[in-house]
Amino acid sequence: MTVLDDLRPRLGRRLLTGPAELAVFGCDALTAFYERPAAVVLVESADEVVAVVRACHREGVPFVARGSGTSLSGGSLPIGGGVVIALNRLDRVLSVDPDARTAVVEPGVINLDVSRAALPHGLMYCPDPSSQSVCTIGGNLAFNSGGAHCLRHGMTANHVLGIRAVLPDGELVELGGDSVEPLGPDVAGMFCGSEGLFGIALEVTVRLVAVAEATHTALAVYDSLEQAGDAVARIVAAGLLPVAMEIMDALAIEAAEASVKPNYPKGAALLIVELEGERGVVDADAAALRELLRASGAGEVVATEDPDARALIWKGRKSAFSAVGWLAPDYIVQDGVVPRTRLGEALAEIGRMGAAAGIRVANVFHAGDGNLHPLILFDGREPGMLERAEALAGDILRLCIRLGGSITGEHGVGVEKREYLPLMFTPADLELMRRLRRAVDPAELANRGKMLAVA
Amino acid sequence: MAAVAVDDVEALRDAVRCGPRVLPAGGATKPALSAPPAEDVVALDVSGLRGIVEYDPAELTLTARAGTPVAELDGALAEHGQYLPFDAPLVAAGATIGGVIASGTSGPGALRYGTVRDFVIGVRMVDGTGELVCGGGRVVKNAAGFDLPKLMVGSMGRLGVMVEVSLKVFPRPRAAATVAFELGGLEPALAALAVLARGPVELDALELEPPARIVVRLAGDPEPLAARVARVAALVGAPGEELDATVWADAAAFAWMAPATRLVRVALTLRGVAALQAALAAAGARARYSNAANVAWIAWPGDCPLAVLDATLRELRLPGVALTGAPGRPLLGDRRGGAFLDRLRTALDPDGRFAEL
Ligand SMILES: Cc1cc2nc3c(=O)[nH]c(=O)nc-3n(C[C@H](O)[C@H](O)[C@H](O)COP(=O)(O)OP(=O)(O)OC[C@H]3O[C@@H](n4cnc5c(N)ncnc54)[C@H](O)[C@@H]3O)c2cc1C
């Protein structure tokens, strides 16, 4: 017996209520949390989403939208007794407009599939989370997801132009449009990053960009993380604007080598810098970059424009999270931001904190924008280790705030960081967020308990 | 009603909490937005909330009070070879950063790295209850909490009064070149625009002066500039005429507008240009298109009611906003946001302390 029994004739076997069927949906990529929903609906059309949302609203039952369940903050964790609306089957790219450089997609489309559809027109979709081969545009939108190439191109919200959404009470709205110039209050921007609290996106118009004529990827190794960080500062100061600047430390390199064997040059720290654009411009910038890397005390420097070689470099970087599984039975992926000029300080302090706690921390991060991803390695079978690892993870967030940064750059607040929100925001700020939430969803049905504690 | 000037946050909070309803004004370069639209609304002059709060060039971010003239920010950034790539218009006329964000206006340079929405990372503002609240932060990447900074873009002083804003900044290109092409008609001009917008040459600005002229700006290092200009000409398939940079200052000041016309901004895509042009010609209005025809700037004749344009835009399903002329409800044409915006508004301004949207 569920709230959705009325809909059973329409949904048939796509309405899941059996314990075994529900178990798979009990958590997302933050596996420390688990919750049993009352039902999961495998929707196949926007109309079905609306029907389910209206039924939930009528009965006062909370619901959560789910893309691929790769959230690292418990964003798509079910709400106990609630409904999971699984959007994976809404996976069509509805149209690509090469002249306007836009695509209209359903929310369950896999991130990489948008670029695949755009490629024949010489276009691509920019935001590239490491999970891009599995995560969905709907999940990206709800979490304003980022990726290695956000340094120059911005996050998901910068690439979402229009949203057709169903509000938590079933009302349909059109936000934004197809122009890159918003007009009137930027409500589409406000909907992005709202972690599913404002309702469910049914159709999304995204911005596409021309595939660059030339892409140049340089790898430089350093004897220390500080040196690699200093190189980033030099590149910024010289006025270069790479599309990506990523750093991996020795432990992260070791993990990557153990899993996907990118065959990186050996060193204590690895800096990846990518330039893209027109041929002549990239050539000139690449020469300048080479000089800057040399002057920054890099050991070996490798540069390539070969697509396969570049793909391997990025595979090593993008597999880093899962690769640390080779080094420890358990790990926590942390996500915090510091001002980019304070990266060196932050990394040194994280090193000290890890040593003091007797816990190994691997670092791979978006150095260009100060977004840290410390990977906290531990063995959950040892009594008390999980708690100690979590304490360290929390201390790292406090450090980020102390240095003037943020508790999350791209993974969102979810259930994981709810208690940390007051570190960043005053009671008045949080009160306004609650007011906004309740104005849109008085009964707090949409993704109840995420980001903001329930009233 | 006389304007009330506030130069500190407490005075601002008091003004929002009690007395007549308020509407903030920065440099008042967009009077249709910032002049009080009704008898019981008083203008709140926030141009006293002025000055750069924090700027570390190595950080590529800047925090300033909302009433700071953009010209002042441009000057400080230029000293360190940096700039605000969204290229706000009306800077010479005194536009403030708060006014630019609230009116959502960007200039030709938005083509390359994005519009004002893509550069606002944090905001401190006074909401309709008189509370001082923050959204976002001072770092370039931040996914914590609702994205209030984005909501302030295009909010037109009707959702909150910005006190302080944080922005991303970028390295300023060292050189620029401007070329114009005459294409013989609107259709070939739009075709050339579409070709250029899809690369491979990365343009800094791509404008359409109807019916047949497109203007292109390239920016970057001086050395490859000439070769890049030649590539653009090859892509267009027509010889270009090199222009000097004064055309951009004129564009930013809307020097092409005839006297007694009203400035209206419309969001669209390249597909909407032909129909809009036809409608404007019938009304005797001129327009220029910016950001690869993602925005139209219309000079609407003073003797023709805006209601006519409003109806035209509705028919074409395009949203617009009047920036100059008599104050009133600023939004024209197709309205976006519906129930979602209405609900956000009741949370931000529960007692209706701000002018209506
Ligand atoms: C190995 C790995 C690497 C990762 N790398 C990155 C990275 O580089 N950058 C990054 O930013 N993140 C990264 N992530 C995190 C995660 O992939 C992103 O948060 C992603 O956007 C989630 O997409 P999803 O489809 O899995 O969404 P889900 O996890 O299913 O859902 C995420 C949230 O979005 C909501 N939601 C889903 N669809 C909709 C919709 N249509 N409307 C409204 N709300 C909706 C859900 O309710 C939930 O709150 C990584 C995760 C993993 C496991």
Side-chain angles (χ1 to χ4, degrees):
Chain A
M1 282 300 287
T2 75
V3 52
L4 298 177
D5 279 348
D6 281 358
L7 294 175
R8 195 176 284 280
R10 178 167 173 187
L11 297 168
R13 297 180 57 184
R14 293 183 289 109
L15 173 59
L16 314 180
T17 48
E21 297 172 310
L22 297 180
V24 214
F25 293 88
C27 67
D28 56 23
L30 183 71
T31 51
F33 292 83
Y34 184 92
E35 195 69 66
R36 167 91 73 82
V40 174
V41 196
L42 308 177
V43 288
E44 284 183 346
S45 69
D47 284 350
E48 284 183 3
V49 179
V50 176
V52 174
V53 166
R54 286 184 180 159
C56 287
H57 179 252
R58 202 170 50 236
E59 305 290 332
V61 173
F63 60 86
V64 54
R66 183 182 168 105
S68 297
T70 65
S71 167
L72 290 165
S73 58
S76 42
L77 179 76
I79 302 142
V83 172
V84 173
I85 304 176
L87 299 164
N88 277 108
R89 298 183 181 193
L90 295 183
D91 61 354
R92 287 177 303 162
V93 173
L94 298 172
S95 62
V96 175
D97 183 337
D99 287 340
R101 288 164 296 141
T102 57
V104 181
V105 306
E106 291 185 325
V109 168
I110 302 295
N111 174 298
L112 211 49
D113 287 342
V114 182
S115 282
R116 283 200 188 106
L119 214 53
H121 305 284
L123 300 169
M124 64 178 285
Y125 176 67
C126 272
D128 62 335
S130 300
S131 49
Q132 70 187 134
S133 58
V134 285
C135 66
T136 66
I137 292 296
N140 293 174
L141 180 152
F143 270 40
N144 193 15
S145 299
H149 291 78
C150 290
L151 176 57
R152 171 151 154 203
H153 292 298
M155 318 263 289
T156 299
N158 304 112
H159 296 268
V160 169
L161 306 176
I163 305 170
R164 197 161 81 84
V166 55
L167 298 182
D169 60 359
E171 180 150 3
L172 289 164
V173 290
E174 304 271 350
L175 314 176
D178 51 6
S179 169
V180 302
E181 296 256 355
L183 206 139
D186 185 5
V187 281
M190 180 70 168
F191 195 91
C192 287
S194 60
E195 302 201 0
L197 271 62
F198 286 152
I200 302 183
L202 302 172
E203 208 173 279
V204 188
T205 304
V206 297
R207 184 159 84 95
L208 303 173
V209 305
V211 176
E213 184 178 29
T215 308
H216 177 99
T217 310
L219 287 180
V221 288
Y222 293 89
D223 293 334
S224 71
L225 274 179
E226 286 72 17
Q227 264 188 319
D230 173 55
V232 170
R234 281 169 189 260
I235 293 166
V236 169
L240 286 189
L241 195 57
V243 280
M245 285 199 273
E246 303 279 308
I247 294 180
M248 298 171 74
D249 72 1
L251 213 48
I253 298 170
E254 186 188 329
E257 292 296 346
S259 69
V260 301
K261 304 188 176 44
N263 204 12
Y264 289 141
K266 306 282 169 284
L270 180 73
L271 170 64
I272 308 174
V273 183
E274 192 154 276
L275 302 167
E276 71 173 38
E278 293 162 56
R279 181 78 272 163
V281 176
V282 168
D283 288 347
D285 285 355
L289 177 63
R290 201 154 43 237
E291 280 314 306
L292 286 162
L293 292 176
R294 193 165 296 145
S296 68
E300 196 177 345
V301 176
V302 180
T304 181
E305 297 198 0
D306 175 67
D308 294 335
R310 291 187 44 251
L312 188 61
I313 290 172
W314 283 111
K315 191 171 173 202
R317 163 62 189 87
K318 292 190 174 182
S319 68
F321 291 178
S322 44
V324 294
W326 291 74
L327 304 182
D330 299 289
Y331 60 93
I332 296 174
V333 179
Q334 189 50 290
D335 166 44
V337 185
V338 296
R340 40 195 152 197
T341 50
R342 307 195 73 174
L343 269 173
E345 201 178 334
L347 291 164
E349 186 57 27
I350 290 170
R352 272 194 293 277
M353 287 158 59
I359 296 177
R360 289 194 300 167
V361 180
N363 283 292
V364 352
F365 51 98
H366 308 301
D369 38 30
N371 189 185
L372 298 166
H373 287 313
L375 300 159
I376 299 163
L377 312 184
F378 66 101
D379 183 345
R381 291 164 303 190
E382 275 179 50
M385 269 319 284
L386 172 65
E387 291 71 22
R388 280 168 56 200
E390 282 176 340
L392 176 60
D395 287 342
I396 291 174
L397 292 186
R398 282 185 202 93
L399 170 71
C400 290
I401 297 302
R402 208 158 59 234
L403 294 176
S406 170
I407 57 168
T408 169
E410 53 184 24
H411 295 170
V413 175
V415 285
E416 189 201 16
K417 291 184 176 167
R418 235 171 24 195
E419 316 73 290
Y420 293 101
L421 215 49
L423 289 180
M424 259 184 92
F425 296 106
T426 66
D429 303 343
L430 293 170
E431 175 49 32
L432 175 60
M433 287 187 207
R434 277 187 215 103
R435 267 204 332 263
L436 287 162
R437 148 68 148 177
R438 284 198 297 264
V440 177
D441 182 7
E444 303 193 51
L445 297 179
N447 218 2
R448 175 185 289 173
K450 311 298 172 62
M451 186 155 93
L452 301 170
V454 185
Chain B
M1 210 177 281
V4 176
V6 289
D7 43 21
D8 71 73
V9 174
E10 284 314 311
L12 172 57
R13 295 181 60 189
D14 285 344
V16 170
R17 274 204 212 101
C18 30
R21 292 192 294 153
V22 295
L23 179 65
T29 56
K30 299 131 192 133
L33 296 184
S34 53
E39 274 297 301
D40 65 336
V41 176
V42 65
L44 199 58
D45 178 0
V46 296
S47 58
L49 293 170
R50 175 169 177 166
I52 293 173
V53 176
E54 187 175 87
Y55 170 43
D56 175 359
E59 200 57 56
L60 290 172
T61 58
L62 178 146
T63 298
R65 292 200 182 81
T68 313
V70 177
E72 192 174 320
L73 303 182
D74 284 346
L77 289 164
E79 276 179 39
H80 297 276
Q82 298 182 345
Y83 77 137
L84 294 169
F86 55 85
D87 199 8
L90 294 173
V91 168
T96 63
I97 189 64
V100 166
I101 294 169
S103 58
T105 43
S106 306
L111 175 75
R112 189 147 186 211
Y113 299 119
T115 61
V116 57
R117 82 185 288 252
D118 300 310
F119 288 85
V120 188
I121 55 176
V123 60
R124 289 176 77 207
M125 56 177 248
V126 173
D127 70 12
T129 69
E131 280 296 338
L132 180 66
V133 291
C134 300
R138 289 187 184 181
V139 281
V140 291
K141 215 165 165 187
N142 183 3
F146 295 132
D147 202 339
L148 273 184
K150 284 225 170 49
L151 186 64
M152 285 295 109
V153 175
S155 60
M156 296 175 288
R158 273 92 170 153
L159 296 175
V161 187
M162 284 176 271
V163 170
E164 190 181 289
V165 297
S166 296
L167 300 153
K168 294 208 282 190
V169 305
F170 272 0
R172 179 190 292 268
R174 280 178 267 260
T178 301
V179 203
F181 299 91
E182 294 291 343
L183 278 307
L186 183 61
E187 216 175 294
L190 287 172
L193 206 75
V195 166
L196 288 178
R198 281 161 67 183
V201 184
E202 275 181 44
L203 305 180
D204 197 59
L206 178 53
E207 311 271 301
L208 170 68
E209 291 173 13
R213 184 175 159 96
I214 62 178
V215 183
V216 170
R217 182 169 72 203
L218 290 130
D221 283 343
E223 207 258 307
L225 220 44
R228 296 175 66 204
V229 168
R231 282 190 82 178
V232 170
L235 284 165
V236 176
E241 175 202 357
E242 289 225 25
L243 304 175
D244 70 40
T246 54
V247 296
W248 301 109
D250 289 349
F254 300 98
W256 55 275
M257 287 174 67
T261 55
R262 279 164 294 175
L263 182 61
V264 176
R265 180 174 169 269
V266 169
L268 77 176
T269 70
L270 197 121
R271 302 213 174 278
V273 174
L276 180 60
Q277 270 307 108
L280 293 179
R286 281 185 68 195
R288 309 246 306 203
Y289 297 80
S290 189
N291 196 352
N294 275 274
V295 63
W297 295 98
I298 298 170
W300 188 253
D303 54 9
C304 189
L306 271 182
V308 174
L309 179 57
D310 184 40
T312 301
L313 293 177
R314 264 172 221 272
E315 205 171 295
L316 298 174
R317 296 216 56 211
L318 297 174
V321 60
L323 299 177
T324 64
R329 299 289 288 268
L331 291 173
L332 305 173
D334 207 28
R335 294 193 53 144
R336 306 275 164 86
F340 183 56
L341 178 55
D342 294 343
R343 294 181 201 186
L344 296 178
R345 200 169 139 71
T346 61
L348 282 157
D349 184 18
D351 305 320
R353 299 293 301 145
F354 299 125
E356 270 149 31
L357 198 59

